[in-house]
């Protein structure tokens, strides 16, 4: 069995402790990658490499600000959000 812990965007500094406790991976919020926050992504990447642990799962994939049904769906914005996030996520692992 493998164990992972969810890490919120403001909790990246806890990755050092998570790794020391023996967790196998972390689960991050998808928006840190999709919003292309380079500073946070670099901070996260550094913490993961330093501790030899990976982000193997994400949560909160689509934020409530995106409409997925109805007349207000912005497919281009949604597609860009997902593509940016997936590209950045792929780069850190």
């Amino acid at each position: 069995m493998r164990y992972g812990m969810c890490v919120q965007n403001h909790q990246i500094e806890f990755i050092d402790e998570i790794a020391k406790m023996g967790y196998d991976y972390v689960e991050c919020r998808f928006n840190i990658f999709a919003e292309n926050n380079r500073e946070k992504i670099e901070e996260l990447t550094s913490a993961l490499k330093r501790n030899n642990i990976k982000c193997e799962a994400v949560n909160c994939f689509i934020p409530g600000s995106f409409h997925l049904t109805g007349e207000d769906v912005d497919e281009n914005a949604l597609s860009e959000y997902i593509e940016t996030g997936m590209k950045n996520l792929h780069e850190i692992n």
Side-chain angles (χ1 to χ4, degrees), residues 30 33-38 41 78-90:
F30 186 72
F33 306 105
E35 293 171 359
N36 208 22
N37 184 334
R38 299 311 308 170
I41 291 170
L78 182 59
S79 179
E80 183 178 323
Y81 180 86
I82 293 170
E83 286 178 24
T84 299
M86 295 303 280
K87 178 181 174 282
N88 287 329
L89 181 57
H90 179 72

Side-chain angles (χ1 to χ4, degrees), residues 21 25 36 48 59 63 67 77 88-89:
M21 288 187 278
Y25 65 94
N36 208 22
L48 294 172
N59 58 45
H67 293 241
N88 287 329
L89 181 57

Side-chain angles (χ1 to χ4, degrees), residues 16-54:
D16 294 333
E17 295 301 317
I18 291 168
K20 286 178 190 173
M21 288 187 278
Y23 283 88
D24 300 302
Y25 65 94
V26 295
E27 177 178 335
C28 301
R29 293 187 71 137
F30 186 72
N31 72 325
I32 196 172
F33 306 105
E35 293 171 359
N36 208 22
N37 184 334
R38 299 311 308 170
E39 182 179 326
K40 281 289 187 187
I41 291 170
E42 289 172 15
E43 182 183 351
L44 175 62
T45 301
S46 177
L48 294 172
K49 286 182 180 179
R50 180 174 62 247
N51 291 287
N52 195 29
I53 194 168
K54 291 188 177 193

